[in-house]
Amino acid sequence: MSIRIGIPSETMPGERRLSVVPDVVKKYQGLGAQVLMQSGAGVPAHYRDDAFAGIDFAADAQALYAAADVLLCVQPPNAEQLGAMKPGSVLLGMLQPWGDADRAKLLMDKQITAFALELLPRITRSQSMDALSSQAAVAGYECALIAADHSPKFFPMLTYAAGTIRPAKVLVIGAGVAGLQAIATARRIGAMVEAYDVRPETREQVESLGAKFVDTGVSAAGSGGYARELTDEERAQQTERLAKAVGQCDALITTAAIPGKRAPKIISADMIRRMKPGVVVVDMAAETGGNVEGTVPGEKTWIDDVLVIGPTHIASRMPVHASEMYAKNLFNFISPFIKDGALALDWEDEVMAGCCLTHAGELRHAGVKQVLGL
């Protein structure tokens, strides 16, 4: 019997993305799988029910959760939704694995096999499945547009009858996927861009996009492509040298994040006070505590004459392409294990094993187990 892949409506306020799009539905069907979607699930992402051909629709969430063999999600289901899932079914999505011990216990109690894309091994083969990177690219693009929209200055150089307007100077902190996309977008709009990252190996990437790299003399290169936490002495040196660049910019975009931990505080209140009047700060890490002292998630806050913006659900501001990218990430992860319409999990597979949160009533990921104390 063919497996049934369930696509529920996302219930978290502000979440507009969808875990499948019409083109990807066809790919699942080509593998022999059935697709069951909650009616209206695609509407927030601008996909109406009639855009999905040859699939079944569930009238409500309870029916969908009870029927699905594999459930695809953007945000983790709540306790009621998990309780409605079939014992032994599979859950795949961004499950915030470090954030909720009770959710992990419920997954174990229900014998659910859960794969959290945040746990994806950082290897070449997994790049096409990397939802953190695809959604970070959306966020970086969007944050550059937010900065340009709220800036009291033109981003590009402008020549008019009475003279020339100098381009705005944008500083991007963090040169991961999101930061690099913010740099590229601000450059395309015409701004002069500087960027900083504690990993010195990012200098070449920053400069390849036409931006100037701010060198503070501090290196925090960590494992797996992520930055490590800085010591107090390193943070003091970083702050001193970074403050100068911060004080000269017209717009600041911060993107620094450490998976499973609160965002590092990089921009202090004193640095904000030394910024020029009218500067716009966009703190991409607002949802995990923010990189900027004074950021309020989901709010625009004036600190003296500096506007600090803490956007949330940033990728959901572009739900069409964000959903398309995310749906392909999910498909690339699960499709190798769908054989003739049946699901055949391969625990010898490095990516699958590394991404597994729970299976057969056990918490499988050692790092999550340590954080949650389970």
Side-chain angles (χ1 to χ4, degrees):
M1 183 177 177
S2 298
I3 63 164
R4 180 168 282 184
I5 297 174
I7 313 296
S9 295
E10 297 293 327
T11 58
M12 178 177 288
E15 181 56 72
R16 298 174 59 197
R17 291 170 293 176
L18 185 65
S19 53
V20 78
V21 295
D23 286 346
V24 174
V25 164
K26 295 176 184 177
K27 293 182 179 181
Y28 284 121
Q29 293 169 333
L31 296 174
Q34 300 178 34
V35 177
L36 175 65
M37 179 182 290
Q38 186 175 344
S39 183
V43 171
H46 306 295
Y47 292 103
R48 298 182 303 188
D49 287 354
D50 59 13
F52 298 90
I55 72 172
D56 297 322
F57 289 94
D60 57 57
Q62 290 293 109
L64 182 136
Y65 277 86
D69 302 302
V70 177
L71 193 81
L72 306 182
C73 63
V74 179
Q75 299 288 349
N78 59 35
E80 181 182 356
Q81 293 163 338
L82 290 177
M85 289 183 68
K86 291 198 302 187
S89 57
V90 173
L91 176 65
L92 171 61
M94 292 191 291
L95 304 182
Q96 302 173 18
W98 300 280
D100 193 332
D102 289 338
R103 181 165 56 236
K105 291 176 182 176
L106 185 53
L107 289 169
M108 291 187 282
D109 291 344
K110 292 285 292 187
Q111 300 282 310
I112 292 170
T113 298
F115 296 105
L117 290 183
E118 296 97 325
L119 305 176
L120 201 70
R122 308 290 289 186
I123 59 176
T124 301
R125 189 167 68 84
S126 69
Q127 289 180 354
S128 67
M129 315 166 195
D130 190 352
L132 288 179
S133 291
S134 72
Q135 302 307 290
V138 178
Y141 173 87
E142 181 66 23
C143 281
L145 298 185
I146 292 171
D149 183 43
H150 288 81
S151 176
K153 296 184 176 183
F154 288 112
F155 265 34
M157 181 176 71
L158 182 71
T159 300
Y160 71 119
T164 300
I165 301 293
R166 290 177 56 82
K169 181 178 286 188
V170 176
L171 174 62
V172 178
I173 294 180
V177 173
L180 292 173
Q181 187 61 252
I183 292 167
T185 303
R187 283 281 297 152
R188 289 190 190 105
I189 298 173
M192 296 170 55
V193 183
E194 294 186 341
Y196 168 70
D197 195 291
V198 290
R199 299 165 297 164
E201 64 271 21
T202 60
R203 175 191 287 267
E204 183 177 349
Q205 295 171 300
V206 166
E207 292 177 344
S208 73
L209 294 173
K212 177 183 176 183
F213 188 81
V214 178
D215 190 353
T216 64
V218 174
S219 171
S223 60
Y226 296 111
R228 63 173 175 82
E229 291 190 82
L230 299 178
T231 65
D232 290 342
E233 184 178 334
E234 288 172 329
R235 189 171 286 108
Q237 180 178 338
Q238 174 202 53
T239 300
E240 180 184 352
R241 299 191 181 181
L242 189 58
K244 182 178 179 180
V246 169
Q248 294 174 345
C249 72
D250 299 305
L252 172 65
I253 302 170
T254 65
T255 70
I258 303 172
K261 298 183 180 180
R262 290 187 66 79
K265 281 289 186 287
I266 298 173
I267 305 301
S268 66
D270 181 64
M271 293 168 74
I272 292 287
R273 283 191 293 269
R274 288 192 282 169
M275 297 179 85
K276 297 184 294 186
V279 170
V280 175
V281 178
V282 181
D283 191 343
M284 191 184 300
E287 288 188 58
T288 55
N291 299 139
V292 180
E293 191 174 346
T295 293
V296 179
E299 300 290 340
K300 300 175 184 178
T301 307
W302 285 96
I303 301 177
D304 293 331
D305 199 10
V306 173
L307 177 60
V308 179
I309 304 173
T312 57
H313 298 293
I314 304 172
S316 286
R317 295 170 181 240
M318 297 186 59
V320 174
H321 279 158
S323 297
E324 180 180 332
M325 296 163 78
Y326 183 67
K328 290 178 180 178
N329 294 143
L330 295 179
F331 178 81
N332 289 337
F333 177 85
I334 198 68
S335 60
F337 311 108
I338 301 176
K339 311 289 186 183
D340 299 321
L343 189 65
L345 302 181
D346 180 6
W347 297 108
E348 299 298 317
D349 184 272
E350 181 181 5
V351 174
M352 172 165 282
C355 219
C356 183
L357 178 61
T358 61
H359 176 66
E362 297 178 357
L363 185 59
R364 289 292 186 94
H365 194 276
V368 175
K369 186 182 296 187
Q370 182 178 8
V371 171
L372 297 182
L374 298 176

